[in-house]
Amino acid sequence: MRASAGEHGETEKGARSVPGRGRAPRRPLQPLTSRHGRPAGTVVDIDGVKVGLAELAIMAGPCSVESAEQILRIAHEVKEAGATILRGGAFKPRTSPYDFQGLGKVGLEYLLAASRETGLKVVTEVMDPRDVELVAQYAHCLQIGSRNMQNYPLLREVGRTSKPVLLKRGLSATYREFLLAAEHIMAEGNGQVILCERGIRGLSTELRFTLDLSAVPYLKGETHLPVIVDPSHGTGTARLVPAMSRAAIACGADGLIIETHYSPKDSISDAAQTISTAEFAELMRELATVATAVGRKCRCQ
Amino acid sequence: MRASAGEHGETEKGARSVPGRGRAPRRPLQPLTSRHGRPAGTVVDIDGVKVGLAELAIMAGPCSVESAEQILRIAHEVKEAGATILRGGAFKPRTSPYDFQGLGKVGLEYLLAASRETGLKVVTEVMDPRDVELVAQYAHCLQIGSRNMQNYPLLREVGRTSKPVLLKRGLSATYREFLLAAEHIMAEGNGQVILCERGIRGLSTELRFTLDLSAVPYLKGETHLPVIVDPSHGTGTARLVPAMSRAAIACGADGLIIETHYSPKDSISDAAQTISTAEFAELMRELATVATAVGRKCRCQ
Amino acid sequence: MRASAGEHGETEKGARSVPGRGRAPRRPLQPLTSRHGRPAGTVVDIDGVKVGLAELAIMAGPCSVESAEQILRIAHEVKEAGATILRGGAFKPRTSPYDFQGLGKVGLEYLLAASRETGLKVVTEVMDPRDVELVAQYAHCLQIGSRNMQNYPLLREVGRTSKPVLLKRGLSATYREFLLAAEHIMAEGNGQVILCERGIRGLSTELRFTLDLSAVPYLKGETHLPVIVDPSHGTGTARLVPAMSRAAIACGADGLIIETHYSPKDSISDAAQTISTAEFAELMRELATVATAVGRKCRCQ
Amino acid sequence: MRASAGEHGETEKGARSVPGRGRAPRRPLQPLTSRHGRPAGTVVDIDGVKVGLAELAIMAGPCSVESAEQILRIAHEVKEAGATILRGGAFKPRTSPYDFQGLGKVGLEYLLAASRETGLKVVTEVMDPRDVELVAQYAHCLQIGSRNMQNYPLLREVGRTSKPVLLKRGLSATYREFLLAAEHIMAEGNGQVILCERGIRGLSTELRFTLDLSAVPYLKGETHLPVIVDPSHGTGTARLVPAMSRAAIACGADGLIIETHYSPKDSISDAAQTISTAEFAELMRELATVATAVGRKCRCQ
């Protein structure tokens, strides 16, 4: 996965020495993320599912992959409701080291099995540059989580793959920092980047995060990359997910990534912000109407 | 305007001594803002224009009243586009003491004249408890600005009038503090309060403020009061106003308050966030479609 | 108290009409707060107690004046420990309308009585422009609270008195906004302004506010006005008050305002951030040492 | 460096697959960072230089290692002034991929050479779990930067070494999240962790960050780990560094990490927040006085 020639070269002595890592790529005339000269916008292709066209890209699934049965059942239910991409964490970044850290490789296998049975594409997080090659064998789209938005070795590593990357905004990242994180990926040669607004920290309110929807039209004005929204982390509150999903579409988001589970209260992680698959199906019908109102399309039953 | 009996009583010596002001009203069983027991929601009546019904309440106009001609022309143009309430500042809170402070009473007269000619209702800010009586003679709805959300003498004073109050959220107010500011008004006997999300400070991004749209569904779940959104101050950026107006309606706002001017660049204040009246008319058509998609109505040409 | 000539003039018709209020004062060549041309710094004189000299100004007392006995006992204890200014709220801004709102005029009388017996000067908050004249009859220094930092009618009213003003920073005010709030006071002719850093909102941590001590050296570089720190509100946590008081002095603050009570747990308001008068006396001894280390002086037993 | 037995086990197929990474360590009865039961506090030993004793630990040096001559000259100058630990970036996290990324391994060699000549210990950042073994060959203390505070694979990797770790607080991390990041390191067996407050984002002021000094006494109350402060990043402004360094010591910090260069304006990175080595020497004399005032010691000329 790591380009050993240009990167390590002949000065490399041992397996882990990385003398060339400090070398910066050459600065292009325009940032690679810049909208200038690419008015049509980039369409990211997740193994056939397009992100950035009139049809919205809806990613849905549980916070964590818990078992083969769980992920398969949710995959069937969200596909039925109209989603085309399955989300689910196999490698989980957890604030406490003692919390469930995900099923790891086994989780990836369950995701791929669910994908094969339903036709949904898989997006899942990768946290460690050493796992990029592994995760890329299973996932159709690599997710970089908020905590890792400025983990540059990881950004470079996914930038060297040919997989689309879903890049989540850091909790206190400015728009410029967000775009420059995408630039780190693109500078390595991978132009298939989707930006995801997922709530910021700042003023402490009664909610976990402040979903900054102004980011959507702002970013769409600055970059040709697709922009999606995560209303689940962005509000931390299941009852607000439908309203904020509608708002995201109304202000121009190219898609959504939503945490859903057939039984949210039994979810191992993020139960408070997870909607039921029944609520998700209902939400999809609402989104179809809003999408039409703003000239987009949303597949639903 | 001020209830002199209960408030001042016999201990009052001079016109300005207020010995009884410290007495708190009796705490009700439920906060007066609480949704409990009022599932239908409050409909605020601005001299015949209703806020809180299926039909959206659209307030539009310039940042500042600049002249009789300016406010009249804008009033005609926003009415034509579908607005029913005219906004415009006569008493302006300005960060610098050397900036234009508004036309004062003359501005109120121009607003009322424009109202009489167009039938639009007037909402305008009052900053000083001593001006409440004056402003209430001209305005159909009294606006409390963000800087004054916790100016309790002012809240109490508008709470003693019979005019509807548009209460803007403070720049760093939690939802609880916002609701308790409304409670200060309601505890004085005035139940006609409209809440307005207008952007918060917190994380510094490229925008002046972060429009916190999650406040809309959150507050609608907590209170029976109508909730509207100010996308002009909320983004500080004219080009983002249409998208964020659509989003506000999609997530359940009962209305909008928008800064507009026939020639934004000539606006004395807030030029960067003011859209043209032509853009406003275009926006109203977009909003009508979004409103329908979420089961609301929006009057437009 | 209000300058009726220039302000109201002959155009004034009724007692409450204020046609001239909108007129801005003439912009000076330099902001009145600017350090330029006043390298020595302003020394504010609170009826003989100086703020801005080598000797630190220590203001101490309870959150609220509760009774004549309470304020007198605390006054004696803080004087004994070395304080020269007595704080205590008579008009209290409270988030909820149903909480204790202060004793009002009676509280002012208790403060003045305690001042007469101990020789301490009184600083107390004024919230309503209509109360400025009343409060100025009792207090030696008028406090503008954080919620009112941008309450311009109030700033103008205290700017028309000859009393020193303690201006607290708003919860989300930038330094520029803070200095311009002082400018509103100074533009009315009152140059006796003390700035007070008291914690900001922003990132939500485990503490109520984030005490922004960088404001002290930053502001001292920008303005000739004295700058003091409120570690009680700034941390919201009694156990952090001593450390943050020491830090404030070490980075150049001209004084402190500290909430203290002989029995913090019995304090009607702000109990969690109130230190005991015994702890206050101990803190004063620590401060004397730190003050000496940075070339200042602090009076203590 | 990586424990291959428990971590990879027999299920590992290829060099980079890590099926067992998801397994969480067993939760201890008390968090490993907890102050309970360790009232004396941990003393971290950086190859003989102690952090957490009465004597303050002063780390100083340039933002980036630029050349052998540069780092050696700075090392001599900061040692002369009283520092015992040399800082300098060899692997630099940069917001833009096109900025100087550090000298990498060569930079480490220059640091080690400067260390051998002066006796100063070396602290330098590691960004990539694959570089931990390399950096640990040169550095006496491994720095985890703010952007990586929740880069758990990296935390685990440094937790498996025997080198002390300097953990910087994330830009929007709560105290709890900060302590849990340390817990990730300690759960792997490395108890030699130093916490570093370096400024947070939140309210946007005129400064890059808000140095949250309340974190110092707060954290010292919660954990037995030493806490130091970075006033250079914490203010982003060279002229504020001396005042905030004094404040940090006054509120209980166990040390400081300061960016300094003999010619700040020629610094490749962070010029605006870098003080000259002459200013650093002057600051050390001030710190010695403040340290004495709070019962600590600071070595200076």
Side-chain angles (χ1 to χ4, degrees):
Chain A
M1 180 103 338
R2 310 183 68 225
S4 57
E7 166 79 352
H8 294 170
E10 56 285 279
T11 61
E12 180 154 37
K13 296 304 189 308
R16 294 257 47 80
S17 71
V18 285
R21 198 168 286 153
R23 229 177 295 130
R26 183 188 296 237
R27 191 184 301 269
L29 289 177
Q30 294 264 16
L32 300 174
T33 58
S34 173
R35 183 144 208 101
H36 289 285
R38 297 185 69 166
T42 286
V43 176
V44 172
D45 185 333
I46 302 181
D47 196 32
V49 172
K50 305 292 172 45
V51 185
L53 291 180
E55 183 167 330
L56 301 173
I58 307 295
M59 310 177 183
C63 176
S64 300
V65 179
E66 298 170 6
S67 67
E69 297 68 33
Q70 175 243 26
I71 193 67
L72 184 61
R73 176 172 167 191
I74 293 173
H76 276 298
E77 294 181 2
V78 301
K79 188 193 180 182
E80 187 74 9
T84 50
I85 299 162
L86 179 64
R87 63 147 290 148
F91 293 96
K92 302 291 305 170
R94 300 306 297 274
T95 302
S96 165
Y98 311 121
D99 288 341
F100 175 61
Q101 308 287 313
L103 293 180
K105 189 181 173 187
V106 170
L108 297 176
E109 287 164 359
Y110 295 163
L111 279 166
L112 187 55
S115 166
R116 287 189 174 141
E117 189 155 331
T118 59
L120 294 176
K121 305 307 168 186
V122 167
V123 58
T124 196
E125 179 163 356
V126 58
M127 292 162 59
D128 189 324
R130 297 165 300 189
D131 291 342
V132 170
E133 188 169 347
L134 173 72
V135 177
Q137 288 166 14
Y138 293 87
H140 304 102
C141 181
L142 301 172
Q143 178 181 317
I144 302 293
S146 287
R147 293 173 176 88
N148 285 313
M149 193 202 82
Q150 292 189 313
N151 179 339
Y152 302 124
L154 181 62
L155 296 181
R156 281 196 286 265
E157 208 63 57
V158 299
R160 290 168 191 151
T161 72
S162 56
K163 294 283 179 176
V165 178
L166 176 63
L167 178 66
K168 291 192 146 191
R169 182 178 176 190
L171 290 194
S172 60
T174 62
Y175 302 144
R176 180 178 168 272
E177 289 167 344
F178 192 12
L179 290 171
L180 282 169
E183 192 82 15
H184 275 268
I185 299 169
M186 296 179 77
E188 298 294 326
N190 186 347
Q192 295 276 297
V193 179
I194 303 163
L195 302 176
C196 180
E197 161 60 30
R198 52 77 71 217
I200 53 173
R201 257 193 197 148
L203 182 63
S204 107
T205 70
E206 284 78 356
L207 302 179
R208 255 176 98 188
F209 301 107
T210 298
L211 186 65
D212 176 24
L213 285 186
S214 300
V216 176
Y218 183 92
L219 291 169
K220 300 284 286 182
E222 298 289 317
T223 182
H224 54 84
L225 297 174
V227 179
I228 72 166
V229 169
D230 175 349
S232 306
H233 288 88
T235 63
T237 309
R239 79 170 171 86
L240 304 181
V241 168
M244 299 317 287
S245 297
R246 295 193 307 263
I249 299 309
C251 69
D254 295 302
L256 296 166
I257 181 164
I258 294 177
E259 289 191 346
T260 183
H261 191 287
Y262 44 82
S263 179
K265 71 176 180 354
D266 297 323
S267 190
I268 288 184
S269 46
D270 281 355
Q273 70 196 37
T274 298
I275 62 173
S276 72
T277 43
E279 291 163 329
F280 176 71
E282 170 63 23
L283 172 57
M284 287 297 284
R285 284 185 288 271
E286 293 176 24
L287 291 180
T289 320
V290 176
T292 304
V294 295
R296 306 296 289 257
K297 276 184 290 184
C298 182
R299 195 184 289 207
C300 74
Q301 289 177 287
Chain B
M1 180 108 333
R2 311 184 67 222
S4 58
E7 167 79 350
H8 294 169
E10 56 286 279
T11 61
E12 178 152 40
K13 296 304 190 307
R16 295 259 47 81
S17 71
V18 284
R21 198 169 287 154
R23 229 177 296 129
R26 182 188 296 235
R27 190 184 301 269
L29 289 176
Q30 294 265 16
L32 300 173
T33 59
S34 173
R35 183 143 210 104
H36 289 283
R38 299 185 68 165
T42 284
V43 176
V44 172
D45 184 335
I46 302 181
D47 196 32
V49 172
K50 306 290 173 45
V51 185
L53 291 180
E55 183 167 329
L56 302 174
I58 307 295
M59 310 178 182
C63 176
S64 299
V65 179
E66 299 170 7
S67 68
E69 296 69 31
Q70 175 241 27
I71 193 68
L72 184 60
R73 176 172 166 191
I74 293 173
H76 276 297
E77 293 181 1
V78 301
K79 187 191 181 183
E80 186 76 8
T84 51
I85 299 163
L86 178 66
R87 62 147 289 147
F91 292 96
K92 301 292 305 171
R94 299 305 299 271
T95 302
S96 165
Y98 311 121
D99 288 341
F100 174 63
Q101 308 287 312
L103 293 180
K105 189 180 172 187
V106 170
L108 297 175
E109 287 164 359
Y110 295 163
L111 278 166
L112 187 55
S115 166
R116 286 187 175 144
E117 189 155 330
T118 59
L120 294 176
K121 305 306 169 188
V122 167
V123 58
T124 196
E125 180 162 356
V126 58
M127 293 162 58
D128 189 325
R130 297 166 299 188
D131 290 341
V132 170
E133 189 169 346
L134 173 72
V135 177
Q137 288 166 13
Y138 293 87
H140 305 101
C141 180
L142 302 171
Q143 178 181 316
I144 302 292
S146 288
R147 293 172 176 89
N148 284 315
M149 193 202 83
Q150 293 189 314
N151 180 340
Y152 302 124
L154 182 62
L155 297 180
R156 280 196 289 264
E157 209 61 59
V158 299
R160 288 167 193 153
T161 73
S162 56
K163 295 281 179 176
V165 178
L166 176 62
L167 178 65
K168 291 194 146 191
R169 181 178 177 191
L171 290 195
S172 59
T174 63
Y175 303 144
R176 179 177 169 273
E177 289 167 343
F178 192 14
L179 290 170
L180 282 169
E183 193 82 15
H184 275 268
I185 298 169
M186 297 180 77
E188 298 295 326
N190 186 347
Q192 296 275 298
V193 180
I194 303 163
L195 303 176
C196 180
E197 161 61 30
R198 52 78 70 218
I200 53 174
R201 262 200 192 142
L203 182 63
S204 106
T205 70
E206 283 78 357
L207 302 180
R208 255 176 99 189
F209 301 109
T210 298
L211 186 65
D212 177 24
L213 285 185
S214 299
V216 176
Y218 183 92
L219 291 169
K220 300 285 287 182
E222 298 289 318
T223 183
H224 54 82
L225 298 173
V227 180
I228 72 166
V229 169
D230 175 349
S232 306
H233 288 87
T235 63
T237 309
R239 78 169 172 85
L240 303 181
V241 167
M244 300 316 288
S245 296
R246 296 193 307 263
I249 299 311
C251 70
D254 294 303
L256 296 167
I257 181 164
I258 295 178
E259 288 191 345
T260 182
H261 192 287
Y262 43 82
S263 179
K265 71 178 178 356
D266 296 322
S267 189
I268 287 185
S269 47
D270 280 356
Q273 71 195 37
T274 298
I275 62 173
S276 71
T277 43
E279 290 163 329
F280 177 71
E282 170 62 24
L283 172 57
M284 286 297 283
R285 286 186 286 272
E286 291 176 26
L287 291 180
T289 320
V290 176
T292 305
V294 295
R296 307 294 289 258
K297 275 184 291 184
C298 182
R299 195 184 290 208
C300 73
Q301 291 177 286
Chain C
M1 180 106 337
R2 311 183 67 223
S4 55
E7 166 79 351
H8 294 170
E10 56 285 282
T11 62
E12 179 153 39
K13 297 305 188 309
R16 293 259 46 81
S17 70
V18 283
R21 198 169 287 155
R23 227 178 297 130
R26 181 188 298 235
R27 189 184 302 269
L29 289 177
Q30 294 266 15
L32 300 174
T33 58
S34 173
R35 182 142 210 105
H36 289 283
R38 297 184 70 165
T42 285
V43 176
V44 172
D45 184 334
I46 302 180
D47 196 33
V49 171
K50 306 290 173 44
V51 185
L53 290 180
E55 183 167 328
L56 302 174
I58 307 295
M59 310 178 181
C63 176
S64 300
V65 179
E66 298 170 7
S67 68
E69 297 69 31
Q70 175 242 25
I71 193 66
L72 183 60
R73 177 172 165 191
I74 292 173
H76 276 297
E77 293 181 2
V78 301
K79 187 194 181 182
E80 185 76 9
T84 50
I85 300 163
L86 179 65
R87 63 147 289 147
F91 294 96
K92 300 293 304 171
R94 299 306 298 270
T95 301
S96 165
Y98 312 121
D99 287 341
F100 175 63
Q101 307 287 313
L103 294 179
K105 188 180 171 187
V106 170
L108 297 176
E109 288 164 358
Y110 295 163
L111 279 166
L112 187 56
S115 166
R116 287 189 174 141
E117 189 156 331
T118 60
L120 294 176
K121 305 307 168 187
V122 166
V123 58
T124 195
E125 180 163 356
V126 59
M127 293 163 58
D128 190 325
R130 298 166 299 190
D131 290 341
V132 169
E133 188 168 346
L134 173 72
V135 177
Q137 287 165 13
Y138 294 86
H140 305 100
C141 180
L142 302 172
Q143 179 180 317
I144 303 293
S146 288
R147 294 171 176 89
N148 285 314
M149 192 202 83
Q150 293 189 312
N151 180 340
Y152 302 125
L154 182 61
L155 296 181
R156 281 196 287 265
E157 209 62 58
V158 299
R160 289 167 192 151
T161 73
S162 56
K163 292 281 180 177
V165 178
L166 176 63
L167 177 66
K168 290 193 148 192
R169 182 179 177 190
L171 290 195
S172 59
T174 62
Y175 302 144
R176 179 176 168 272
E177 290 167 344
F178 191 14
L179 290 171
L180 281 169
E183 192 83 14
H184 275 268
I185 298 169
M186 296 179 78
E188 299 294 328
N190 186 346
Q192 296 276 297
V193 180
I194 303 163
L195 303 176
C196 180
E197 160 61 30
R198 52 77 71 217
I200 53 175
R201 260 197 194 145
L203 182 64
S204 106
T205 69
E206 284 78 356
L207 302 180
R208 255 175 99 190
F209 301 108
T210 298
L211 186 65
D212 177 23
L213 284 186
S214 300
V216 176
Y218 183 92
L219 291 169
K220 299 284 286 182
E222 299 290 317
T223 182
H224 54 83
L225 297 172
V227 180
I228 71 167
V229 169
D230 175 349
S232 306
H233 289 87
T235 63
T237 309
R239 79 170 171 87
L240 303 181
V241 167
M244 299 317 287
S245 297
R246 295 192 308 261
I249 299 311
C251 69
D254 293 304
L256 297 167
I257 180 164
I258 295 177
E259 289 191 346
T260 182
H261 192 287
Y262 45 82
S263 179
K265 72 177 179 352
D266 297 322
S267 189
I268 288 185
S269 48
D270 281 356
Q273 71 197 36
T274 298
I275 62 173
S276 71
T277 43
E279 290 163 330
F280 175 72
E282 170 62 24
L283 171 57
M284 287 297 282
R285 284 185 287 271
E286 291 176 26
L287 291 180
T289 320
V290 175
T292 304
V294 294
R296 308 294 289 256
K297 276 182 290 183
C298 181
R299 196 185 288 209
C300 74
Q301 291 177 286
Chain D
M1 181 111 330
R2 311 184 67 224
S4 57
E7 166 79 350
H8 293 170
E10 57 286 281
T11 61
E12 179 153 38
K13 296 305 189 308
R16 294 258 46 81
S17 71
V18 284
R21 198 169 287 154
R23 228 177 296 130
R26 182 188 297 235
R27 190 184 301 269
L29 289 178
Q30 294 265 15
L32 300 174
T33 58
S34 173
R35 183 143 209 102
H36 288 285
R38 297 184 69 165
T42 284
V43 175
V44 172
D45 185 335
I46 302 181
D47 196 33
V49 172
K50 306 290 173 45
V51 184
L53 291 180
E55 183 168 328
L56 302 174
I58 308 295
M59 309 178 183
C63 177
S64 300
V65 179
E66 298 169 7
S67 67
E69 296 69 32
Q70 175 242 24
I71 193 68
L72 183 60
R73 177 171 164 191
I74 293 173
H76 276 299
E77 293 180 2
V78 301
K79 188 193 179 182
E80 186 75 7
T84 51
I85 299 163
L86 179 65
R87 63 147 289 147
F91 293 96
K92 300 293 304 171
R94 299 307 297 271
T95 301
S96 165
Y98 311 121
D99 288 341
F100 174 61
Q101 307 287 313
L103 293 180
K105 189 180 171 187
V106 170
L108 298 176
E109 287 165 359
Y110 295 163
L111 279 166
L112 187 55
S115 166
R116 286 189 174 142
E117 188 155 331
T118 58
L120 294 176
K121 305 307 168 187
V122 167
V123 59
T124 196
E125 180 163 356
V126 59
M127 293 162 60
D128 189 324
R130 298 166 298 189
D131 291 341
V132 170
E133 188 169 346
L134 173 71
V135 177
Q137 287 166 13
Y138 293 87
H140 305 101
C141 180
L142 301 172
Q143 179 180 318
I144 302 293
S146 287
R147 294 172 176 88
N148 285 313
M149 192 202 82
Q150 293 188 314
N151 179 341
Y152 301 124
L154 181 62
L155 297 180
R156 280 196 287 265
E157 208 62 57
V158 300
R160 290 167 191 150
T161 72
S162 57
K163 294 282 179 174
V165 178
L166 176 62
L167 178 66
K168 290 192 146 191
R169 182 177 177 191
L171 290 194
S172 60
T174 62
Y175 302 144
R176 181 178 167 270
E177 289 167 343
F178 192 13
L179 290 171
L180 282 169
E183 193 83 13
H184 275 268
I185 298 169
M186 297 179 79
E188 298 294 327
N190 186 348
Q192 296 276 298
V193 180
I194 302 163
L195 303 176
C196 180
E197 160 62 30
R198 51 79 69 217
I200 53 174
R201 261 199 193 143
L203 181 64
S204 106
T205 70
E206 283 79 356
L207 303 180
R208 255 175 98 190
F209 301 107
T210 298
L211 186 65
D212 177 23
L213 284 186
S214 299
V216 176
Y218 183 92
L219 291 169
K220 300 283 288 182
E222 297 290 317
T223 182
H224 54 82
L225 296 173
V227 180
I228 72 166
V229 169
D230 175 349
S232 305
H233 288 87
T235 62
T237 308
R239 78 170 171 87
L240 303 181
V241 167
M244 300 317 287
S245 296
R246 294 193 308 262
I249 298 310
C251 70
D254 294 302
L256 296 166
I257 180 164
I258 294 177
E259 288 191 346
T260 182
H261 192 287
Y262 44 83
S263 178
K265 72 176 177 358
D266 296 323
S267 190
I268 288 185
S269 47
D270 281 357
Q273 71 196 37
T274 298
I275 61 173
S276 70
T277 42
E279 290 163 329
F280 176 72
E282 171 61 24
L283 172 57
M284 287 296 284
R285 284 186 288 271
E286 291 176 27
L287 292 179
T289 320
V290 176
T292 304
V294 294
R296 306 295 289 258
K297 276 183 291 183
C298 182
R299 194 185 289 207
C300 74
Q301 292 177 288

